[in-house]
Amino acid sequence: MGYVNCQCLIMFMCLPIFVVSLLPFMIAVLVYQSVLILTGYVIYCKILQNPYDLHTTSNVASRAHRFTWYLHGWIWNGYEVQGLENIPDSGPALIIFYHGALPVDIYYLIAHLFFHKDRVLQAVADYFLFKVPGLKILLESIGVIPGSQETCTKTLKDGNLLAISPGGVYESQFSHRYNLLWKNRVGFAKVAIDAKVPIIPVFTENLREAYRTLSTGKSLFEKIYNATKFPFTPIYGGFPVKLITHIGKPIPYDPELSPEQLKTKVANAIEELIAKHQRRPPSILRAVMDRIPAFRIYCLILRKLNKSKGGWDSAARTMISGLWYLHGKIWHGYEVRGLHNVPDSGPSLFIFYHGAVPTDMYYFYTHVYFHKNRILNAVADRFMFKLPGFPILMECLKATTGTKQTCINLLKDGNILALSPGGVYESQFSHNYNLMWKNRIGFAKVAIDAKVPIIPIFTENVREAFRSVSFAQRLFLKLYTWTKLPVAPVYGAFPVKMITHVGKPIAYDPELTPEELQVKVADAINHLISENQRLPGSILHALIDRISSLKERHKLNQHTLRKQK
């Protein structure tokens, strides 16, 4: 009996080792599933004698196996990409990335670029991958190349995107704390200079927590690798940690830089991304907990409080922002796209479409506060300041009643300010995302007097989250005209997907009249609505949008239809 108990104890103790050793094989299963999809497609085309091209974004096989990777990244790692706007919509660029123990992040990024940017990202892989049975067709489909300097230069000169990790397999095995192991490799820099293309630095947060290589026996495995050029270091992991790929700003081509100088510049850019986004020392447990929005918000609040040197209002603002940030993430899966259009310093006037309840602006405020380290002042209707308890909240969040002179002063002091020309009127009586600004040009006069750019904003599905009733419009309009209070009943609070789209700034132009500027801004917001909002609005579809894969498939279909037209 004692022997059996001892045997059970040993098996129980060895179970975690068995699991972490087995999990990496999930990726092998996924790889060969993609191989089967592609092989089946090629056989099908040959039987029907149809021509096929595995590189294009239009064939079924390319979509199917990339969708598999997209789905796996979303489910298993909650995969996200931040800075996708730094990838050009057309033309060549060289992407330089840090190499994890298993580069699953690059597979996920390839899928994201395929579906979000309609672009094929080619990559350089080690020669040993081309010798693995069955992988040739997958590598051909993804656009993986062995990576001689001439091949890479030609690929870029043909207008393609190309990804390279200078550290390669060596870095994947022996970098344990996110340290770059590039040695004296400057080949990628020579390629970028010869092809005259920008370099885009990329780093994936928690990559080393998803898969790890053994740190014991490093000297032995390094000797074996140097002798064989084959990665023998054992890998373990496959943990469902949060993975976020951060794409840095492009480093433009500079003919004055030598390859060595360019290498140093790119390495510094990637190390900045690591220092900014990666928790040190690394922790698998915390990386798994990053999947929980509440934990990420908690970390953001702590970081903000530690840096804060203000009084009670600064601490209160941080706590309130944390609560709203968390609510948006959990209840609406809230996102901001185009956050790079928000300036890091200096004044700007944000103009937005007003939903039935402007919860999107509270969420947007928190994203600007935490991610851009800026306080977004906002213009609110006077009745808000008369609600019990609201004056102190308005003061804390830097809301103002918004006289023309107050707005001009705020902007001239270097602040960012948000207002909705449609205001409460638009919130009650706009039912299908139509702007209801009447002849209001006050915001345009403010922008012209303060000499600041205007940034258009629209939140997708804001009218599906909360709606105002569409019956008895004349009655509610008369009541509103008489009382100036929003009396139209509001219903909803549905957990729909909400995404705030930040448009490109409209630069100050002294030649424009307020009326012309109003038209220009209205056109910009209408363009954001037509590009991103399903019309007519649908609560059911907006709820389904919480399923990322279905949403992106819809977006891609819409994008394809527009291109065909």
Side-chain angles (χ1 to χ4, degrees), residues 48-73:
L48 296 181
Q49 297 183 343
N50 289 339
Y52 63 90
D53 183 359
L54 294 175
H55 288 97
T56 64
T57 59
S58 58
N59 72 70
V60 176
S62 292
R63 287 177 175 273
H65 86 80
R66 283 176 170 87
F67 181 73
T68 302
W69 283 97
Y70 188 103
L71 200 61
H72 182 272

Side-chain angles (χ1 to χ4, degrees), residues 336-353 361 364-365 368 372 374-379 407 411 414-421 437 443 446-447 452-458 500-506 521 525:
V336 177
R337 292 187 183 170
L339 197 61
H340 61 284
N341 290 324
V342 178
D344 294 324
S345 61
S348 289
L349 179 60
F350 293 83
I351 301 299
F352 63 95
Y353 169 81
M361 291 313 296
F364 181 65
Y365 174 100
V368 171
K372 302 292 284 190
R374 299 204 69 183
I375 295 173
L376 176 64
N377 294 261
V379 173
C407 293
L411 291 167
N415 297 294
I416 50 177
L417 176 67
L419 65 86
S420 171
W437 294 3
F443 76 91
V446 166
V452 297
I454 290 179
I455 301 176
I457 289 180
F458 169 70
T500 292
H501 300 274
V502 184
K504 292 182 179 179
I506 299 169
V521 176
I525 292 180

Side-chain angles (χ1 to χ4, degrees), residues 47-48 97 124 228 240 282 327 342 395 415 431 440 482 531 536:
I47 290 172
L48 296 181
F97 63 96
V124 172
T228 64
H327 183 272
V342 178
E395 179 189 351
N415 297 294
H431 297 290
R440 297 178 182 176
W482 180 47
E531 281 287 306

Side-chain angles (χ1 to χ4, degrees), residues 501 526-533 555 558-559 562:
H501 300 274
N526 280 324
H527 178 72
L528 288 176
I529 293 171
S530 64
E531 281 287 306
N532 300 292
Q533 182 60 52
K555 283 287 185 69
Q558 293 295 102
H559 175 65
R562 282 195 293 270

Side-chain angles (χ1 to χ4, degrees), residues 114-184:
F114 187 83
F115 287 111
H116 291 268
K117 304 285 283 189
D118 198 24
R119 297 210 66 182
V120 173
L121 171 63
Q122 295 186 246
V124 172
D126 199 279
Y127 283 96
F128 85 88
L129 272 175
F130 294 86
K131 299 174 184 178
V132 178
L135 281 195
K136 185 179 178 182
I137 191 170
L138 176 62
L139 299 177
E140 179 188 345
S141 170
I142 295 174
V144 174
I145 56 177
S148 66
Q149 191 171 321
E150 294 75 18
T151 309
C152 292
T153 303
K154 184 181 183 304
T155 300
L156 290 167
K157 283 185 174 179
D158 288 342
N160 298 299
L161 294 174
L162 181 65
I164 297 176
S165 172
V169 176
Y170 183 81
E171 186 172 84
S172 76
Q173 295 178 94
F174 307 115
S175 170
H176 299 291
R177 288 183 176 268
Y178 297 98
N179 51 314
L180 300 182
L181 297 175
W182 293 4
K183 298 183 179 180
N184 297 316

Side-chain angles (χ1 to χ4, degrees), residues 206-445:
N206 294 328
L207 182 58
R208 284 264 161 201
E209 279 56 76
Y211 294 91
R212 287 185 170 182
T213 51
L214 282 181
S215 55
T216 53
K218 181 182 175 181
S219 300
L220 172 63
F221 290 121
E222 193 168 359
K223 285 178 182 177
I224 295 173
Y225 173 71
N226 289 332
T228 64
K229 297 301 177 186
F230 194 87
F232 279 102
T233 310
I235 295 174
Y236 66 96
F239 303 112
V241 303
K242 180 73 176 178
L243 290 181
I244 304 175
T245 291
H246 301 276
I247 302 175
K249 292 183 178 179
I251 298 168
Y253 164 68
D254 184 352
E256 302 299 320
L257 289 178
S258 68
E260 290 74 17
Q261 290 172 323
L262 182 56
K263 174 201 159 185
T264 302
K265 192 171 184 178
V266 175
N268 289 339
I270 292 180
E271 284 172 343
E272 282 179 16
L273 289 175
I274 294 170
K276 184 177 180 181
H277 300 291
Q278 184 57 53
R279 182 186 292 107
R280 300 280 187 89
S283 166
I284 293 172
L285 177 61
R286 289 192 172 188
V288 172
M289 289 180 69
D290 281 343
R291 297 291 301 275
I292 306 168
F295 180 75
R296 290 187 71 83
I297 307 308
Y298 171 73
C299 292
L300 275 173
I301 291 172
L302 282 184
R303 201 177 302 133
K304 196 76 176 177
L305 286 173
N306 288 334
K307 292 180 180 178
S308 176
K309 295 180 181 178
W312 73 270
D313 57 336
S314 179
R317 189 179 301 116
T318 300
M319 297 301 294
I320 292 167
S321 298
L323 289 172
W324 278 101
Y325 194 111
L326 182 61
H327 183 272
K329 279 290 182 186
I330 293 174
W331 195 246
H332 293 293
Y334 181 76
E335 298 176 35
V336 177
R337 292 187 183 170
L339 197 61
H340 61 284
N341 290 324
V342 178
D344 294 324
S345 61
S348 289
L349 179 60
F350 293 83
I351 301 299
F352 63 95
Y353 169 81
H354 204 303
V357 178
T359 52
D360 57 320
M361 291 313 296
Y362 288 95
Y363 302 148
F364 181 65
Y365 174 100
T366 66
H367 275 249
V368 171
Y369 184 68
F370 284 120
H371 296 296
K372 302 292 284 190
N373 199 29
R374 299 204 69 183
I375 295 173
L376 176 64
N377 294 261
V379 173
D381 199 280
R382 294 178 194 277
F383 85 88
M384 293 286 291
F385 294 85
K386 298 176 183 178
L387 296 175
F390 267 63
I392 193 169
L393 177 64
M394 296 291 103
E395 179 189 351
C396 183
L397 296 180
K398 299 291 184 181
T400 177
T401 51
T403 64
K404 180 183 174 184
Q405 196 55 49
T406 306
C407 293
I408 291 171
N409 290 341
L410 280 169
L411 291 167
K412 284 187 174 180
D413 288 341
N415 297 294
I416 50 177
L417 176 67
L419 65 86
S420 171
V424 175
Y425 181 80
E426 187 172 84
S427 77
Q428 295 178 95
F429 306 115
S430 169
H431 297 290
N432 202 32
Y433 297 97
N434 51 314
L435 300 182
M436 305 186 78
W437 294 3
K438 298 183 178 179
N439 297 318
R440 297 178 182 176
I441 57 173
F443 76 91
K445 291 179 179 178

